[in-house]
Amino acid sequence: MHLHVADHPLIAHKLTALRDANTDSARFRQLTEELVMLLAYEATRSVAVEDKEISTPVTTTTGTRIAEPRPVVVPILRAGLGMLDGMLRILPTAEVGFLGMVRDETTFEPSAYADRLPDDLTGRQIFVVDPMLATGGTLAMAIDFLLARGARDVTAVCLVSAPEGVQRIERDYSDSAEVKVYTAALDEKLNEKGYIVPGLGDAGDRMYGIVD
């Protein structure tokens, strides 16, 4: 597994504002989109491309375009939706699949409640977007869904990650597939409630509010 922790002053600046408990939902969503665009720039460095012949106003030349089959962006509902627009600004030709998952707050184990993915992902580059890589359970379940459909190249884009989650992904997928994790920060640890410390709280609630 390849882990890339972003090291850029703009990312650090925006992440600090994102962590701030005083940042309201509208600003949180805006910062998330901006951070994802910066992370996606690095995460797509190995995206598959092909040559394209074009005519400029001066001459003909060979350029580059995203290769077929197109990459697939998979947000993990619901918080991953807040990252989708940022990814699509960088990869506008990508297709989009969805996975809905929820974590049991007692056992920390995830369960899936929605699956909108192509049946065959053979040869596709997959970009999974989820704000938090905490225990690693949700990302591991998502990767299992993707591998079962033939995917072998999976990149996760996360805002903040915990060492425990990174270690689980590294342990579980060191041999079975090419898995990469791009994150804005590798934080200190998980607390007893399974939250990342210092983290940024519940990303879904901070993006969309708490709906009773």
Side-chain angles (χ1 to χ4, degrees):
M1 189 202 78
H2 171 77
L3 172 67
H4 180 90
V5 182
D7 181 17
H8 193 287
L10 282 178
I11 290 177
H13 168 78
K14 292 178 186 298
L15 182 59
T16 298
L18 197 74
R19 293 187 193 273
D20 192 335
N22 294 314
T23 298
D24 63 23
S25 291
R27 178 64 174 149
F28 193 95
R29 290 192 297 270
Q30 179 185 354
L31 286 164
T32 295
E33 181 174 340
E34 293 170 356
L35 274 168
V36 171
M37 290 176 65
L38 293 170
L39 288 171
Y41 180 79
E42 290 297 326
T44 56
R45 187 172 293 276
S46 61
V47 70
V49 295
E50 60 189 13
D51 291 341
K52 181 182 180 181
E53 297 291 332
I54 62 169
S55 297
T56 77
V58 179
T59 187
T60 58
T61 188
T62 301
T64 299
R65 66 181 175 189
I66 304 298
E68 296 286 344
R70 291 180 288 169
V72 181
V73 178
V74 181
I76 305 298
L77 306 179
R78 68 177 167 145
L81 278 178
M83 302 174 67
L84 180 58
D85 285 348
M87 284 297 300
L88 292 181
R89 284 181 180 273
I90 300 298
L91 274 179
T93 61
E95 295 182 346
V96 180
F98 297 92
L99 282 174
M101 296 185 180
V102 61
R103 187 178 75 165
D104 187 293
E105 296 303 324
T106 302
T107 65
F108 306 143
E109 289 300 314
S111 58
Y113 63 85
D115 167 12
R116 296 286 292 176
L117 291 171
D119 291 333
D120 186 4
L121 292 171
T122 304
R124 308 293 292 270
Q125 289 181 296
I126 314 296
F127 294 88
V128 179
V129 292
D130 194 13
M132 320 291 286
L133 174 52
T135 65
T138 298
L139 180 56
M141 179 174 280
I143 293 172
D144 287 344
F145 270 96
L146 299 167
L147 296 185
R149 288 163 172 77
R152 289 297 178 267
D153 185 347
V154 180
T155 299
V157 179
C158 306
L159 300 181
V160 294
S161 301
E164 294 90 336
V166 170
Q167 290 165 8
R168 173 170 180 174
I169 299 303
E170 185 173 27
R171 181 193 70 218
D172 290 358
Y173 303 101
S174 59
D175 299 320
S176 59
E178 182 179 354
V179 175
K180 300 177 284 290
V181 175
Y182 284 78
T183 185
L186 182 61
D187 278 7
E188 179 185 345
K189 62 180 181 179
L190 296 177
N191 66 14
E192 65 280 0
K193 295 183 178 180
Y195 280 86
I196 301 174
V197 178
L200 45 80
D202 186 302
D205 288 349
R206 295 198 65 191
M207 283 182 195
Y208 304 117
I210 301 173
V211 181
D212 295 325

